[in-house]
Structures are given as C-alpha cells and as structure tokens.
Amino acid sequence: SGATTPECPALLILAPTRELALQVAAVCRLVRKLTGLRTACIYGGVPKEQQVELLQRRPHIVVATPGRLLDLVDDGALTLQPLASTEPLPTSAEPAAVTAPAGVRVVVLDEA
C-alpha cells in the first residue's frame, strides 16, 4: 500500500525514451488512486538531484530510461535489491512461513 516504504522498488519499468517513460509514469500515477503505490520517473536530460529526491521517498514503482537508471545505480542513489539481512533465509520451510526481503520482483521492458 501507499503507507509502506519499500527498501527498493517492487516494479521496474524500462522505457527507451524520456517521452515514453513520462507517458507510462502518468498512467502509473492514475492507478495510484486505486492501489496507493508511489511512482518515480527517472530519465536523462534533467538534473539528477531532482530524481534522487524522488527516489528518497522510496517509490514502489520506478519507470526509467536505461542510461539514467544505470547512472543512479552506479551513484548509489538507487538499489534494485534489498539491504543485506543479518539473518540467513531458511533453506526449507513452507512458502507462507518464509518472508524474504523483497527486491525488484517485476521488470517490464517497454519498446517504442
């Protein structure tokens, strides 16, 4: 829900252009009314600082162009996997009993 603050986004949508990324993010924001999931749109051609501020709000969905995504991952402003846990995950347990830290669970590759 929107009240949660995930360690990293659960959904990553990669778009080839800024224009397409903005269109996809606009639709994701419309869906927020139903789901409460926060979206950040990151792309090149604008200062990184603005986008880093969006990522600090810990969105559930990130829509990105590949180049800026890699820049922000390399800069440490975005992680696509959860922070390391000090507790090892159980090797055998019923799926419902295991709660693993959630990283990016779904990746969508959009193309023009």
Side-chain angles (χ1 to χ4, degrees):
S1 80
T4 62
T5 52
E7 290 179 19
C8 65
L11 172 59
L12 173 63
I13 303 172
L14 291 174
T17 66
R18 173 189 337 183
E19 293 77 16
L20 188 54
L22 288 167
Q23 290 173 8
V24 171
V27 172
C28 290
R29 288 186 182 108
L30 290 174
V31 175
R32 180 181 182 177
K33 295 174 185 175
L34 301 172
T35 64
L37 301 178
R38 292 182 304 280
T39 300
C41 186
I42 56 176
Y43 49 87
V46 297
K48 288 182 190 179
E49 295 77 20
Q50 295 171 354
Q51 296 172 347
V52 169
E53 287 178 21
L54 290 174
L55 294 172
Q56 288 173 343
R57 296 180 189 155
R58 298 166 86 180
H60 301 88
I61 302 168
V62 169
V63 181
T65 57
R68 182 52 62 97
L69 175 73
L70 292 175
D71 286 346
L72 293 174
V73 168
D74 288 344
D75 292 348
L78 175 63
T79 182
L80 301 177
Q81 54 191 342
L83 300 175
S85 173
T86 56
E87 298 179 24
L89 294 176
T91 55
S92 64
E94 293 182 30
V98 176
T99 304
V104 172
R105 293 177 184 238
V106 178
V107 176
V108 177
L109 301 175
D110 198 349
E111 59 179 319

